[in-house]
Amino acid sequence: MARLRCRRLDLQDHPSQRRRQRRQRADRLPGLARWQYDRVHKDIGYDLEIDTSTLTPLECARCVKAKFQL
């Protein structure tokens, strides 16, 4: 069996986009995502962080491909 390596990738969108998406979900309390964000991502070292609000999906994919030599 081939040896697999785990990579940590953080895809970030613009905060206003996150707020809009959360408002559309009936199962979320207002402000919950913001409260959770810092706690979930605290002390996690990512191999690659991508801001999806400034790149197209194709550009994001190219970043991943280049970083991980795929």
Side-chain angles (χ1 to χ4, degrees), residues 30-56:
L32 181 61
R34 178 181 290 210
W35 180 84
Q36 289 175 332
Y37 186 84
D38 291 333
R39 288 157 182 80
V40 170
H41 296 276
K42 182 180 180 192
D43 300 325
I44 294 179
Y46 291 100
D47 297 302
L48 179 61
E49 296 180 32
I50 297 176
D51 182 352
T52 61
S53 69
T54 61
L55 299 173
T56 67

